[in-house]
Amino acid sequence: MTEQKDRQKRVAVIQDMSGFGRCSLTVALPLLSAKGICACPLPTAILSNHTGYPSFYFYDFTEQISAYVEEWRKMALFFDGIYIGFLGSEEQIGLVERFIRDFKREDTLVILDPVMGDHGETYATYTSAMCREIRNLVAKADILTPNLTEACILTGREYRQKGWKRKELQELAEDLTDRGAGKIVITGIEQGSFVSNFYYERDGEAGFIRRKKTAKSRPGTGDVFASLVAADSVNGMDFPGAVAEAADFVRACLIESERQRIPLEDGVCFERFMYLKRTCAARGSGRGREL
Ligand code: PXL
């Protein structure tokens, strides 16, 4: 039987559920849904709020994952995308590798946002063993979306906030493709009054998507960015196009969040932009306005 051409896409989203602070699943699920994708969460941890706040409740979901996934296996589910973000334990990395082995079909895209840290520091629940093990997942990723801190951790380079030359970024990206990743976008590179994203496709294009820095950086923007790149890629958009749309969307969210004086740690009010034409599934439907 031939597959219906406009069949709805389905993506497994492997990340934590944080009740407050706009990150991971609470960002990924609505954004993927708005892109017309059926998003299926596989929680890695349950938190009251993200780890950037001074205090948080953290429930590691590792022990539940096998039984949870076994039910999906019984249902013979398949996915057009497997999108991985914040993980809860070192052991989960092996479970994710197994998930990819069991659920990846020939045309399934694996999108890895190697969430580990930002601004040169690792997040509170990430151990050095976890960071080391995440390198194993890089080899399985069709698309990898590290920020500069994470790209440095993955390749064993020293982090610095500023002064990255194109040649260095190209070498960094090549190092990651040598480790097995297909397409890379390194996010949040400060270049004077701009914030750049450097994209690199093995055997393909490379370049900068640069946007004027107009607001302070905030947590969760990496999750918004990766979710849009994941959704657009699964929907068949070219990689530079997906990166550019994500960069525009994050910038609009940052500006609006600052205008509304939302506390920095509460992330970005992406919900305000969900109806916009370029970001919702009904692209070209005539509703909403361009970013
Ligand atoms: O935005 C990345 C992220 C995801 N999930 C949790 C986090 C963070 C960053 O702090 O704490 C729980």
Side-chain angles (χ1 to χ4, degrees), residues 4 7 33 46 51 66 78-79 101 105-106 109 119 127 130 184 225 236 247 254 276:
Q4 196 184 321
R7 180 183 59 75
S33 299
I46 316 284
T51 64
S66 295
F78 64 88
F79 298 99
R101 210 166 48 237
R105 305 199 308 182
E106 204 188 335
L109 270 186
H119 309 295
T127 62
M130 277 175 84
I184 318 264
F225 190 98
L254 281 167
L276 289 178

Side-chain angles (χ1 to χ4, degrees), residues 122-244:
T122 49
Y123 295 133
T125 54
Y126 269 69
T127 62
S128 49
M130 277 175 84
C131 295
R132 212 173 34 246
E133 291 293 308
I134 286 174
R135 291 180 187 169
N136 296 341
L137 292 179
V138 170
K140 312 268 187 309
D142 297 302
I143 295 179
L144 186 71
T145 62
N147 60 32
L148 202 44
T149 302
E150 292 153 350
C152 287
I153 295 173
L154 289 173
T155 58
R157 282 169 169 74
E158 188 149 350
Y159 170 81
R160 61 178 204 280
Q161 196 187 351
K162 291 185 178 151
W164 288 83
K165 301 208 165 56
R166 183 187 166 121
K167 188 168 170 289
E168 291 176 293
L169 292 165
Q170 176 114 4
E171 283 167 5
L172 189 50
E174 274 166 5
D175 191 336
L176 291 166
T177 50
D178 287 347
R179 291 167 195 264
K183 300 175 185 179
I184 318 264
V185 55
I186 303 172
T187 63
I189 305 160
E190 288 198 28
Q191 294 182 316
S193 57
F194 291 88
V195 180
S196 281
N197 303 287
F198 181 70
Y199 67 90
Y200 181 87
E201 299 182 61
R202 192 168 50 200
D203 313 325
E205 293 185 51
F208 285 107
I209 302 285
R210 230 182 230 128
R211 296 291 179 265
K212 196 133 183 87
K213 186 171 162 68
T214 36
K216 282 208 182 83
S217 68
R218 287 168 180 264
T221 50
D223 302 358
V224 174
F225 190 98
S227 298
L228 288 178
V229 169
D232 281 341
S233 301
V234 166
N235 280 337
M237 194 188 277
D238 64 285
F239 193 51
V243 170

